[in-house]
Amino acid sequence: MKLVLILAVVSLASAHSEIVEEIEELLIEELQDLGVWTNPTHYGNPSGGCMDDEIEGGIKGMKGKGCFPDCTKKDCPTDYPSGDTAPGECAVQGPDSKKYCILQCKGANKGKCPTGAKCVDVMTAGVCLYDTNDGFLGDETVELDYVLIPDNVRTAFDEFKVQFERAYTGAEHEHRLRVFHDNILLIQDFYKSGPHTFTLGIGPFTDLTNEEFAAKYTGGVSEKKEQLNVVELDTSNLLAGKDWRDDGAVTPVKNQAQCGSCWAFSAVAAMEGAYFQKNSQLKSFSE
């Protein structure tokens, strides 16, 4: 009786999101009491209901359903259902462009599916899915796209790890591989969009998201202060522009890492340029 009343109120309160959220919590508690909502972990059978950070859905071209955790800005959860040894991998994308985790049972990173799930082949990999008859939301499910990482990208990632001395394992390896793949796609789209005044390529940051790079390598800029005793110089007799790279007077871009002394790198670069102008020889000085 209580369950019926809750469902009726949800229907009447659908226009008031704050009320619906409270009622949804009560509904979930009631379903758990009735033994309908049974999933204690992520990646569970959708017939037992998916967790708040998961969506119930299927994968295009594949038979079956699952609960897929959101991994757009975080790692895949590591609380697995009973019987599972298949690792979580951020490998599917929804119509909202968000990314979601699957349990991969075949391919580069594989394992055994949880109790009640089957390993369904997709290209060169496999995904753990439950029978299509299972499902808590009925027909209200999302169809996801499986994003396959090409072999040449995996090879490039292996070379990247060697060059930049990365050592990833397990879920962290798969997450970094996905980030690396996303950045490769960004580089490809960049060159497809036409000529540019700069180049993009694989570097020491290709395994980082934009958010991770910003958090780790930017910041520390002090508040702008008013400048005093500023002297305006006459620049009327100067060229409109000069690219000293054309004369071979600029050293390659340097990585200051966590040094936090950009002023030192700027000063040294100026000294390198001055030395070149006097001696017609380019040298890379130490910061």
Side-chain angles (χ1 to χ4, degrees):
M1 181 64 180
K2 181 180 177 182
L3 176 59
V4 174
L5 289 175
I6 290 176
L7 291 173
V9 175
V10 168
S11 177
L12 292 172
S14 59
H16 304 281
S17 59
E18 67 280 359
I19 298 177
V20 171
E21 289 178 2
E22 295 179 7
I23 295 176
E24 282 179 345
E25 294 180 4
L26 294 174
L27 176 59
I28 291 173
E29 290 178 4
E30 181 68 11
L31 292 172
Q32 289 174 334
D33 292 340
L34 294 172
V36 178
W37 193 288
T38 57
N39 283 334
T41 69
H42 289 88
Y43 311 104
N45 190 321
S47 64
C50 300
M51 293 193 167
D52 289 344
D53 60 344
E54 293 181 307
I55 61 168
E56 177 186 321
I59 300 175
K60 289 182 180 179
M62 303 176 68
K63 185 178 180 180
K65 291 182 181 180
C67 291
F68 305 99
D70 187 344
C71 57
T72 307
K73 294 184 177 180
K74 57 184 178 181
D75 295 339
C76 291
T78 56
D79 56 324
Y80 299 112
S82 175
D84 176 78
T85 61
E89 180 181 354
C90 192
V92 292
Q93 182 169 302
D96 53 2
S97 296
K98 288 185 177 181
K99 295 181 180 178
Y100 298 92
C101 304
I102 61 167
L103 292 178
Q104 183 169 316
C105 49
K106 181 181 177 183
N109 204 16
K110 60 184 179 180
K112 182 181 177 182
C113 289
T115 304
K118 297 179 181 178
C119 186
V120 182
D121 289 342
V122 51
M123 302 180 192
T124 60
V127 180
C128 296
L129 295 174
Y130 298 88
D131 288 339
T132 52
N133 292 330
D134 294 331
F136 181 73
L137 298 177
D139 294 332
E140 297 180 19
T141 57
V142 179
E143 195 171 40
L144 307 173
D145 286 309
Y146 184 84
V147 182
L148 178 69
I149 297 181
D151 290 338
N152 65 314
V153 174
R154 292 183 179 273
T155 300
F157 186 59
D158 289 339
E159 295 171 350
F160 166 87
K161 290 185 295 181
V162 173
Q163 181 179 356
F164 297 104
E165 300 180 346
R166 301 291 200 272
Y168 297 129
T169 59
E172 175 70 5
H173 180 276
E174 293 305 309
H175 172 67
R176 292 299 158 197
L177 174 59
R178 288 283 166 185
V179 173
F180 183 85
H181 184 215
D182 288 344
N183 286 329
I184 292 297
L185 294 177
L186 183 148
I187 294 171
Q188 292 174 344
D189 290 341
F190 171 80
Y191 287 110
K192 290 177 182 178
S193 63
H196 301 277
T197 58
F198 61 96
T199 61
L200 288 182
I202 296 175
F205 313 118
T206 314
D207 61 342
L208 298 177
T209 64
N210 287 337
E211 293 79 10
E212 290 170 333
F213 179 86
K216 190 173 183 178
Y217 293 104
T218 64
V221 179
S222 60
E223 183 179 351
K224 187 176 180 180
K225 298 181 180 179
E226 182 181 356
Q227 294 181 343
L228 303 177
N229 301 323
V230 176
V231 178
E232 296 289 342
L233 301 177
D234 181 13
T235 59
S236 59
N237 61 339
L238 299 180
L239 296 174
K242 170 67 176 178
D243 191 342
W244 286 100
R245 293 176 301 176
D246 296 337
D247 295 343
V250 182
T251 56
V253 175
K254 299 177 182 180
N255 178 15
Q256 74 179 54
Q258 298 298 315
C259 178
S261 299
C262 53
W263 57 268
F265 284 78
S266 300
V268 169
M271 293 298 295
E272 290 170 347
Y275 183 88
F276 174 85
Q277 286 183 297
K278 180 175 177 58
N279 301 287
S280 298
Q281 185 180 9
L282 181 64
K283 288 189 175 183
S284 180
F285 297 158
S286 176
E287 282 73 15

